[in-house]
Amino acid sequence: MPWIYAIVGLLVGLVAGIVIARLTTPQYKSQKTLQKDLDSAKFEIEQHRQELADHFAQAAEMLDTLGKDYTKLYQHMAATSSELLPSLPEQDNPFVKKIAQHKESDTSSASSDDTFEQPPKDYAQGATGLLKPEEKAIIRSSEVVSAKAS
């Protein structure tokens, strides 16, 4: 029975010694302060990232508004330039040239939008059978070109 008291006393002494050594060791304290500093630095970095994201979102919104305002101003100047200077020939009016170019680019972009709505010629007709075992016919662009040529 006395050997049980000795083992229990040894275990209690060992645990107490580890706890005391852990608390009094300067490396443990410095490790704890370094961990706190690291956590605070990570928090500050995350705050800066969030502030940057908010800043860029606000700047993008402001640039969008600025672009719209410049477009409105340009349209206003173009509309009133012919009214305010009726004696100015159209070829000398800088706004008329830009409006004509702008209208041409709008019509060309509208016609190019139609070409993007059609899929390329090598798309499969119907489902490709990825989820079903049946296979569908796939049209190759080279076959279409050679069939049209003959």
Side-chain angles (χ1 to χ4, degrees):
M1 188 83 162
W3 56 275
I4 293 177
Y5 292 126
I7 292 175
V8 170
L10 181 64
L11 289 176
V12 168
L14 187 64
V15 169
I18 291 173
V19 169
I20 290 171
R22 199 74 165 139
L23 294 177
T24 58
T25 305
Q27 293 146 349
Y28 178 73
K29 291 178 183 178
S30 67
Q31 180 184 4
K32 208 171 189 180
T33 57
L34 284 175
Q35 185 65 36
K36 286 180 183 178
D37 292 343
L38 177 65
D39 291 340
S40 65
K42 283 182 180 179
F43 180 73
E44 287 177 11
I45 286 174
E46 192 58 38
Q47 279 184 330
H48 287 289
R49 284 184 183 161
Q50 186 61 40
E51 288 174 5
L52 278 174
D54 293 343
H55 168 73
F56 285 128
Q58 184 180 12
E61 186 177 316
M62 293 169 91
L63 284 173
D64 185 46
T65 304
L66 182 66
K68 288 178 183 177
D69 289 344
Y70 273 126
T71 303
K72 285 180 187 177
L73 176 65
Y74 187 82
Q75 289 173 348
H76 171 73
M77 293 295 289
T80 57
S81 66
S82 60
E83 293 173 10
L84 295 176
L85 298 171
S87 62
L88 185 67
E90 282 192 22
Q91 66 267 14
D92 291 339
N93 190 345
F95 294 108
V96 173
K97 295 175 189 174
K98 296 290 183 181
I99 289 175
Q101 289 174 356
H102 185 66
K103 287 181 181 178
E104 288 173 5
S105 66
D106 285 347
T107 57
S108 66
S109 66
S111 64
S112 65
D113 290 342
D114 296 338
T115 59
F116 290 120
E117 292 177 9
Q118 299 174 355
K121 299 290 184 192
D122 60 345
Y123 268 34
Q125 294 178 348
T128 59
L130 288 175
L131 302 176
K132 296 180 184 177
E134 61 188 56
E135 293 185 21
K136 298 288 182 174
I138 298 177
I139 299 174
R140 304 273 183 228
S141 59
S142 60
E143 294 172 358
V144 173
V145 171
S146 63
K148 287 183 179 181
S150 32

